[in-house]
Amino acid sequence: MTERKPPGVSFETWADRQIREAEAQGAFADLPGRGKPLPNLNAPYDEMWWVKGKMRREGLSFLPPSLALRKEAEDAAAAVARARSERQVRQILTAVNEKIEAAIRRPPPGPPLNLRPFDVEQAVARWHEGRDGEAAEAADGGITGGGSGTAAPRRPWWRRLRPT
């Protein structure tokens, strides 16, 4: 604890003296951010900056559990597109299906879940179709034959996973 400001001494002079003495004793020599710019100095002010920073450091989610699970399901659908093997597709979808089924049994707080487990067999079949289409396109050199040259745009495969 620091000493109290003596009467008759201006606060600015007293504070400056305290800082100068602490610097001379080396109190500021080994601070973790010494010599580095302040983080987020140019960012707009946010009243909850410390809460958001703490949540980021702790790995907590900003979303309610039901929305976080929806996001995870979307990420799983995108991961299936990048999967290299059928086994990997099954692992990804099985993992997210377990979480969805648990959430259906005991609904999490927040907005409604509105999710159903993925049909793994159907997803694997579509994954195979996508792989076969890529292989045929690569064999053609990317050129499709016949027709007017304009094909109707196909919906992305992850949109086809969910029944409409």
Side-chain angles (χ1 to χ4, degrees):
M1 193 74 149
T2 60
E3 60 189 63
R4 296 182 64 97
K5 180 181 89 60
V9 177
S10 73
F11 182 78
E12 185 175 357
T13 307
W14 178 75
D16 289 339
R17 183 174 54 90
Q18 294 279 326
I19 292 171
R20 196 175 345 93
E21 288 174 1
E23 252 180 359
Q25 293 171 1
F28 303 127
D30 59 349
L31 294 177
R34 183 173 184 241
K36 297 178 185 172
L38 294 174
N40 303 322
L41 186 61
N42 295 328
Y45 180 72
D46 182 11
E47 292 180 3
M48 300 294 282
W49 65 270
W50 65 275
V51 173
K52 291 178 181 176
K54 177 73 171 174
M55 290 180 77
R56 193 176 312 109
R57 286 189 305 276
E58 298 290 327
L60 300 174
S61 174
F62 292 107
L63 296 173
S66 59
L67 293 181
L69 186 55
R70 283 191 212 171
K71 174 75 170 113
E72 189 173 344
E74 287 178 13
D75 293 345
V80 166
R82 295 186 306 270
R84 298 203 179 268
S85 69
E86 180 179 327
R87 191 180 103 241
Q88 196 174 21
V89 171
R90 290 181 186 279
Q91 285 176 341
I92 292 167
L93 293 179
T94 302
V96 78
N97 276 350
E98 289 173 0
K99 292 178 183 179
I100 291 172
E101 289 166 358
I104 289 172
R105 282 192 300 271
R106 184 171 185 153
L113 187 60
N114 295 336
L115 275 181
R116 286 187 290 174
F118 289 99
D119 183 355
V120 176
E121 296 305 320
Q122 184 182 18
V124 168
R126 291 205 175 146
W127 178 80
H128 278 295
E129 288 173 10
R131 301 292 287 188
D132 294 341
E134 289 175 11
E137 187 175 311
D140 275 345
I143 300 173
T144 56
S148 64
T150 57
R154 289 184 61 190
R155 287 178 31 188
W157 70 268
W158 60 86
R159 296 284 186 207
R160 293 182 299 223
L161 285 178
R162 291 191 182 151
T164 55

